[in-house]
Every structure is written in C-alpha cells, then in structure tokens.
Amino acid sequence: MTPRARARLTSIIIVLAGLGLAVALTLYGLSGKITYFHSPSEIATLNAKQLEKTIRVGGMVKAGSLKQTGEKSVFVITDYKADLTITYQGVLPDLFREGQGVVVYGRYDTASTHFTAKDVLAKHDENYMPPEVKKALDQNK
Amino acid sequence: MITEVAHFAFIMAFVVAGMMAAGGLWRSPDIAKRSAITLLALTIIAFLGLEWAYITSDFTVLNTVLNSHSQKPLLYKISGVWGNHEGSMLLWIVILSLFGAGIALSPHIRDETLRQRALGVQGLIAMGFIAFSLFTSNPFARVFPAPADGNSLNPVLQDIGLALHPPALYLGYVGFSSVFSLAAGALIVGRVDQAFAKAVKPFVAIAWLALTIGIAMGSRWAYYELGWGGWWYWDPVENASLLPWLAGTALLHSLLVLEARGALKRWTILLAIIAFAMSLLGTFLVRSGVLSSIHAFAVDPLRGSFILALLIACCGGAFGLYAWRAPQLKTLRLFTPVSRESSLVANNLLLITIAATVLTGTLYPLVMDTLGLAQISVGAPYYNATVLRIAIPLIILMGIGPFLPWKRPGRWAFKGPMLTCLLLTALAMLFIRVNMLGFAIAIWLMVASLAQIKWPLTLKNLSLVLGHFGLGLAIVGMIGTMAMKIEDIRIVNPGDTFTVGRHELRFDGVSNVFGPNYGAEEARITLGTDILKPQKRWYPVSDSQTTEAAIRTYILDDIYVVLGERDLKSGPDAWVVRTTVHPFVAALWFGFGLVALAGVLMLINSWRRR
C-alpha cells in the first residue's frame, strides 16, 4: 500500500466510524425520545403501554370549563367528539383562552381519567391554530 | 400616493434584478454592477414606502390594517413592518439587494469574472424572491373601504427584542446568499484558490456574525418575554436558524484551510452552497406553515409551494453545477493526522454531523405526518441524547486543535502547554461536585483557549481565543439553566416572605398601572433593598394578555419572578407567584457576547487583509 492509499484508507475508516456512531445515536434518539400527538377521542383507543408514555394532546378549550384554585388549573379540552379533563400546576401561558386551540404535553392517568399536563402550549398568534389541532378537529366535523 | 410609488419601485426592482442576472451571466459586467446598485436603491424606496404607511397609520393599505394601530408606540410602528409575513419578506429582499451591491463594490474580489458571475447568480435569486413577494404576498395591496383603525401588532411582539432580532437574523440568513453566489460564480469560472478565500471571507464573516447576534437576541427575548425562563426550546424554527449557523461555522473553519494551504476546495464550495440551502430551508419551514411552531405565520398553501420551488431551483441548480464543475477543482494534498488542518477537517465533520442530526429531528415529524404514519413531535429529549453527545468530542477538540501546527509537526512542542491545561482543568474539577462532565469540558475549553493567546496579539489570534473562550463560558450558563434551575410556585398574601435558592423575597401586594397602549397589574416584591415589579399586561386593542417577568441578574444566578393569577380563595389580595433561580445565566449571555465579538474581530481582520 502506498502512503497515499494508506492515509486515504485511515480517513475513510474514521469518517465511516463517526458516521455510524451518529446514525446509531440518531436512531436511538428517534426510537425512544419522540412524543406522539393524539386527539382527545383517540385516548380511549390507546393501550396501556402507549398511555405510559408522555404524549401531546390538542383540542379546543371548552368554554366555561376553566377552574383555578391557587396555582392549580383544571380545564376541559375537546375535539367535539370526546372531552378530556386536564390538570396543570403552574401559570398558564398568556394566550390561553377558553374557546381556543391548545396543545398540552404530559401523561394520562387511567385511574382518575385526568390528563396531568407538564406543559401547556398556546400559540402566539390568536388566528393561528396548531396544525395538529386543526387536523384533529377537521376529521371530526 | 407614496404607496403607489413604493409599489412601482418594487415592480421595477424585479425588472432590474432580471437585468442584473442577464448582465452577470452573459456578457456585460458593467450592466450587472449598475443593476445591483439600482436594485438596492429601488428596494430601499419600496421599504421606506411601507414604513411610511405604518408611521402615518395609512389604513388604506391592507398590511397596515392587519398589523398596526394608530395608538401603537412609534418604535413598534417602525418595527411592526417586519413583524408580519409580507413586510418581513420585503426586508429580506432589501437585505438580498444590499449583499448584491456588496458583491458589486467589494474591493476584496480581485477576479472581475468571478464578480460578474456572482452578480448574475445573486440577480437570479433576487428575481425569484421579488416574484414570490409580488405574486403571493404583496405588502402594498390596498383595502377599500378603509377601516377606521388597524388590528394592531401582537403584544408579545411589541418589544425591543422584536425590533432587532429579525433584521439581525435576516442579515445572517440572506448574507449567505452572497457566499452562495460567489461559490456558484467560482464554479462557473472554474477557479477556487487563496484569492477566492480572501474574496468570500468578509461576506461569510458578516453573515455569521449577524446570525450569531440574531440567534442570541432571539434566545434572550424568549428568556425574558415568554415567561417560562427558557432560552432554547428546540422549536423547529429555532433549529432552522441553528442549521445555517452550524454550516456557516464549518465554512469559516474550512476557509482557514483553503487560505493557508489551498486545500479543501470542493468541500468549501459545498459548504457555501449548504449554508444558503439551510437558510432557504429555514424560510420554507417558517413561511409555509408545515410545522407547528410559535414562529408560524398564518398559512397560505401557495406561499409554501412557491418557496419550495425556489428552494429546489436554488439547491438543484447549485448542486447540478457542483456535480458538473467540481471534479476540475482537484487538490492533491495529503494531511498528516496530527496537524492543524486535520483538526479543522475533524471540526467540519463533527459540525456537519450535528447539523445532519438536527435536520433529521426537524424533518422527521414532517415525513411521518406526510406518510400518514403518526403525528409526533421531536423535542429536547431527542436533541439532548444526540446533539449534546456529538458536541462533547467537538468541544474537547476545540481545545486541542489550535495548539497543533500546520503541515508536519516536526517537534511535539505543543505537548507541554496542552498538558498544563489538562492539569489545570483537573485541578478545577476537584472543587466541582455536580454536572462534572459538562463543567469539565467547559473549563477545559476556557483554559485551553486562554493558553492559545500568542504575543504579540493579532486580530486573528484574538478572535480565535475569544470565540472559543466565549463558547466555553456559554456552556457554563447552559448547564446552569438546564440542570441546576430551582423553581418555586406559591400563593402569597401581602407581607408574606419566602426563600428561593439563596434569595429571600417579600410580597408587598399588587396595584394597577397603565402603559401607552395597555393596562397592567403590577406586583411589588422586595428583594433586599431592591423592588421587583412583574406585570400582567392587558392590551385592549387586540384583547390579549402578556406576562412581563421581573428579572435581576447577578454573577452567580438570575432571579426570575412571574405574576400568576389572583387567588380569592386564599385571601382578598392573594396571588400566585412563580419564582425561578437560574444559575450562571449571566455567563450564557456574556459568552454569546464574546462569540459575537470574535465575529467582529474576524470581520475587521478579513476586511483589512486584501
């Protein structure tokens, strides 16, 4: 082997090893760390294993459903087919409104049938509807 | 009338961009140059025309009606122009023309054929974007009958952060268009050498600097305005700005090799194309509404298709040109494994791997959704598991690389200082008990960067030291906010005291205050001799609320107070208060500042060396 070929071979091996590592990390990351989105009516169709995971649920906040006691908020979101009660500890985002679309991130509790949100995402543009919510609502019209 | 003049100037700009493209790609360098300067003048006229409509509250213009209001403060009337899709595309085109004029006038471009071809390519890009603006999102559309007042600007966007963040970011995104045009020009001419590196470097430096500042300002704005105290969310649109930044950073480093050794020709050209392709991809992601993001504008499918077409035309054209011409740009150089150039190659590979990982995470939900497989989102857990791990070897290498000499390291003279740095890092680690790995690489990077100062100081050396040291400092801040944050939510009555971290606070009650176009409930919270005043604002015109956090910054940590809802059950004046202590955030902003300063020095340096 000439020095040139050897150097080339070494660099190819290093690049391939690095690339392999990156691909492995990416696949690992994508397999365990992604979050699934569901509409409130889909919650009933999920199995126990799927419900163990942290998921995102989106829908319209039902008018008159928001109750706040101290730092705890309870409200109902709907996709006009099924309702889901959400409990959330913390300060709701500025653009959170009854009658508007919202996405919550957290876990569903089968015993109490409540959804405990870690995060509530309301969007900054009042005319803007999160695409997932829009899709879920369109399907149920 | 002024609106019509501006509109006409904008239409003329399309024609002039056509002349610029024709002059540049066929035979007239003179026409190309003059068109580039005329184009800048015309787009500035168009932009000022729209500004005029906003400042005078001309509600016969649809764009003003939708996004402005007569009672809005002047600063937000001016900056409101780029707070919406149409206006921000106009700003985008002004900056595109600015860089076109930059290519026409730059004294660093010695090869006139290169200049001419680059102008031609820049003209083509300008044509595409002006057509996009005129046909799908015309900012000068009139409305009849004119309403009495406008809808105002979203209150979250009424902030000094918005006045500055988008222009800086656009300067970065669009700045890479000039780098792209020069790279395409060099492919047409068929010559990539040290002179090309010198010609393209000031443009890369400006774009990179502006992008760095734009991203830092966006983070800072998210940190204090959005009320959740985070500075990076791995939101698809944030990723869209990170991708060209990563590619641009790789490009800066590969240019060093091209400049010093005349090697990595094809790779550098490829990076220049990728950097702008990433900018365009970012534009597509933001403007088409395909992703759910806090940055998304209201959606019009035609815009998405149009930008996608532009993206395909630009990338397709450039990669086609690359495939056709690049094989002629052979460099027959071999790098020894332990040398500066090899470490820069490794830096490039790692940066591009990170970019590819971020790109995968950003596009994956889109692919899954389009194929109808599942609706998913990829968030922080994915990026923490992948990007952070690939970043570790990169940061360690950042401390090693600059010690290595170019070409063949005859002696291992760099071993001594490097071992000293390693020892100092180990010594510092004896005092640190938490997040050891993170702090170890941050300290290693800072110590090694300082050890690389060479006397007498040169701009080039100083920019390397400051840039790398700044990143090390920023990592300390990142660890603080990500892993060491203390959060406290409680209901308080006036007179209550409470402790968060090392701070003791006293809640003194809430009163009503009024701003120029909003009313607010303002709390008074005593912290030592200081009074924190977090607000909940209500903007009657757009019937919306914003939360204004009160923040005090200390060297060790930031204290961050947000006023929540009133809680009548716990008392007549009881309120929910959320307090967060973010350790080392000051280091994050200061670190970003140093990285930006390194960019400034690099720009000055590349400007002086003709």
Side-chain angles (χ1 to χ4, degrees):
Chain A
M1 228 190 278
T2 60
R4 171 180 292 283
R6 194 178 299 135
R8 194 164 280 170
L9 190 66
T10 324
S11 53
I12 288 172
I13 289 171
I14 293 172
V15 170
L16 282 182
L19 203 65
L21 190 69
V23 169
L25 271 173
T26 307
L27 289 178
Y28 161 72
L30 284 176
S31 65
K33 314 276 175 182
I34 51 173
T35 318
Y36 285 86
F37 178 88
H38 300 285
S39 61
S41 52
E42 280 171 9
I43 296 282
T45 67
L46 300 179
N47 61 36
K49 204 177 166 195
Q50 284 170 312
L51 286 174
E52 271 173 26
K53 280 191 167 178
T54 314
I55 54 172
R56 303 199 319 156
V57 184
M60 302 297 271
V61 182
K62 257 195 165 176
S65 72
L66 177 66
K67 289 184 192 70
Q68 286 180 302
T69 33
E71 71 271 17
K72 192 176 168 191
S73 308
V74 180
F75 56 92
V76 177
I77 64 169
T78 180
D79 56 356
Y80 304 125
K81 227 182 190 179
D83 291 355
L84 182 65
T85 309
I86 316 284
T87 58
Y88 176 63
Q89 293 274 108
V91 180
L92 287 169
D94 294 332
L95 282 182
F96 181 90
R97 297 276 179 76
E98 290 183 345
Q100 286 191 352
V102 70
V103 174
V104 293
Y105 172 79
R107 203 169 273 172
Y108 181 74
D109 180 27
T110 12
S112 66
T113 71
H114 279 201
F115 187 90
T116 312
K118 275 203 270 185
D119 239 332
V120 175
L121 308 166
K123 299 299 167 177
H124 291 151
D125 177 354
E126 49 266 53
N127 307 318
Y128 175 74
M129 176 88 79
E132 298 99 326
V133 177
K134 193 169 185 302
K135 210 169 162 190
L137 293 178
D138 285 349
Q139 280 166 359
N140 293 341
K141 259 179 193 160
Chain B
M1 177 61 197
I2 285 178
T3 308
E4 272 62 43
V5 171
H7 196 172
F8 183 69
F10 199 42
I11 296 169
M12 281 307 293
F14 180 75
V15 179
V16 172
M19 286 165 63
M20 180 172 159
L25 295 175
W26 279 286
R27 55 186 52 167
S28 180
D30 212 36
I31 289 180
K33 265 197 213 177
R34 284 186 196 167
S35 308
I37 292 155
T38 317
L39 180 65
L40 178 62
L42 286 170
T43 51
I44 286 178
I45 291 171
F47 185 76
L48 291 179
L50 189 61
E51 280 289 359
W52 183 255
Y54 268 74
I55 293 169
T56 58
S57 293
D58 178 356
F59 294 118
T60 60
V61 179
L62 182 62
N63 196 257
T64 331
V65 176
L66 294 177
N67 302 294
S68 196
H69 188 274
S70 53
Q71 281 166 30
K72 204 166 60 168
L74 181 64
L75 174 67
Y76 302 134
K77 281 184 183 164
I78 295 173
S79 67
V81 169
W82 55 82
N84 63 85
H85 169 75
E86 291 81 2
S88 65
M89 281 321 293
L90 184 55
L91 178 65
W92 171 282
I93 291 162
V94 172
I95 296 174
L96 191 68
S97 317
L98 184 70
F99 279 97
I103 296 176
L105 299 174
S106 167
H108 299 87
I109 303 171
R110 288 300 173 80
D111 180 348
E112 287 303 322
T113 332
L114 172 67
R115 191 199 300 276
Q116 184 192 351
R117 300 295 181 236
L119 282 172
V121 177
Q122 189 82 2
L124 281 179
I125 302 171
M127 277 176 82
F129 275 92
I130 296 173
F132 170 70
S133 195
L134 279 173
F135 295 129
T136 73
S137 34
N138 192 336
F140 301 107
R142 292 280 196 176
V143 62
F144 184 82
D149 217 326
N151 294 357
S152 195
L153 176 69
N154 188 333
V156 195
L157 303 182
Q158 296 190 18
D159 184 273
I160 185 75
L162 182 86
L164 303 171
H165 161 64
L169 213 50
Y170 284 5
L171 204 59
Y173 271 164
V174 186
F176 282 115
S177 70
S178 58
V179 179
F180 174 90
S181 296
L182 283 166
L187 280 176
I188 300 172
V189 177
R191 191 164 51 242
V192 177
D193 48 15
Q194 269 104 330
F196 172 77
K198 284 202 176 74
V200 80
K201 208 160 178 198
F203 291 98
V204 182
I206 292 178
W208 185 85
L209 171 64
L211 196 55
T212 308
I213 294 175
I215 293 174
M217 282 202 300
S219 296
R220 174 91 190 130
W221 177 67
Y223 175 69
Y224 69 76
E225 179 71 25
L226 298 187
W228 56 282
W231 59 277
W232 192 264
Y233 202 73
W234 292 107
D235 180 274
V237 175
E238 294 173 351
N239 294 346
S241 69
L242 185 64
L243 288 169
W245 188 86
L246 289 167
T249 311
L251 178 59
L252 277 177
H253 290 85
S254 85
L255 274 176
L256 290 174
V257 180
L258 180 60
E259 228 184 338
R261 300 218 43 204
L264 295 186
K265 289 180 184 177
R266 283 181 287 185
W267 175 246
T268 304
I269 294 290
L270 192 60
L271 280 178
I273 295 172
I274 289 175
F276 187 56
M278 290 298 155
S279 301
L280 286 180
L281 182 72
T283 314
F284 168 67
L285 292 178
V286 185
R287 299 319 165 104
S288 62
V290 291
L291 291 172
S292 92
S293 148
I294 57 164
H295 291 76
F297 289 83
V299 185
D300 174 357
L302 182 63
R303 288 177 188 166
S305 328
F306 205 124
I307 300 189
L308 194 60
L310 281 176
L311 177 69
I312 292 169
C314 273
C315 297
F319 286 124
L321 191 64
Y322 181 81
W324 177 37
R325 306 289 287 205
Q328 301 171 8
L329 301 169
K330 269 200 165 156
T331 31
L332 295 168
R333 293 266 156 77
L334 270 180
F335 297 161
T336 41
V338 184
S339 65
R340 179 76 69 87
E341 47 271 47
S342 292
S343 78
L344 286 168
V345 170
N347 144 304
N348 267 232
L349 290 174
L350 287 166
L351 278 170
I352 290 304
T353 311
I354 292 177
T357 315
V358 175
L359 185 66
T360 312
T362 311
L363 296 182
Y364 190 67
L366 208 61
V367 174
M368 292 291 275
D369 191 27
T370 314
L371 296 179
L373 293 173
Q375 290 201 317
I376 56 160
S377 70
V378 174
Y382 164 78
Y383 296 101
N384 291 346
T386 52
V387 172
L388 296 192
R389 281 175 210 188
I390 308 170
I392 292 169
L394 177 65
I395 294 159
I396 295 173
L397 190 70
M398 281 171 72
I400 300 172
F403 279 119
L404 308 179
W406 292 97
K407 296 184 184 173
R408 201 169 282 276
R411 287 169 297 124
W412 287 65
F414 54 88
K415 254 185 174 173
M418 220 154 83
L419 282 174
T420 318
C421 291
L422 203 59
L423 208 68
L424 282 173
T425 309
L427 207 65
M429 289 314 292
L430 291 178
F431 300 96
I432 292 170
R433 289 279 166 273
V434 286
N435 301 302
M436 307 253 302
L437 177 65
F439 280 120
I441 57 169
I443 293 170
W444 157 251
L445 180 56
M446 286 191 282
V447 172
S449 305
L450 288 181
Q452 282 146 12
I453 297 180
K454 282 198 189 81
W455 304 100
L457 277 177
T458 59
L459 277 177
K460 196 174 177 184
N461 177 245
L462 200 61
S463 119
L464 169 136
V465 170
L466 286 180
H468 287 191
F469 182 84
L471 186 74
L473 204 58
I475 293 170
V476 172
M478 290 174 199
I479 300 167
T481 41
M482 279 169 64
M484 297 163 73
K485 181 167 83 173
I486 306 167
E487 200 164 3
D488 176 282
I489 298 181
R490 62 174 70 222
I491 301 162
V492 283
N493 283 297
D496 284 0
T497 56
F498 55 104
T499 310
V500 185
R502 62 188 184 96
H503 301 280
E504 192 168 308
L505 301 110
R506 191 181 73 231
F507 179 70
D508 295 330
V510 171
S511 54
N512 290 322
V513 294
F514 295 94
N517 55 346
Y518 61 85
E521 285 156 330
E522 183 180 87
R524 266 166 298 114
I525 294 167
T526 309
L527 170 72
T529 53
D530 200 2
I531 295 173
L532 303 179
K533 291 175 178 168
Q535 291 183 340
K536 279 178 88 70
R537 286 185 190 167
W538 184 65
Y539 289 78
V541 173
S542 49
D543 185 26
S544 52
Q545 253 188 14
T546 69
T547 315
E548 302 292 315
I551 306 170
R552 287 292 177 277
T553 305
Y554 303 94
I555 291 176
L556 279 181
D557 56 15
D558 264 24
I559 187 154
Y560 189 106
V561 186
V562 177
L563 181 65
E565 297 296 325
R566 189 172 202 158
D567 187 42
L568 288 170
K569 282 188 194 115
S570 315
D573 291 306
W575 288 78
V576 176
V577 170
R578 196 187 73 198
T579 315
T580 332
V581 172
H582 299 275
F584 307 132
V585 177
L588 180 71
W589 308 125
F590 193 63
F592 282 169
L594 286 180
V595 174
L597 184 62
V600 174
L601 295 180
M602 185 169 67
L603 179 60
I604 298 172
N605 187 42
S606 66
W607 189 260
R608 288 202 327 193
R609 293 181 53 216
R610 292 194 188 164

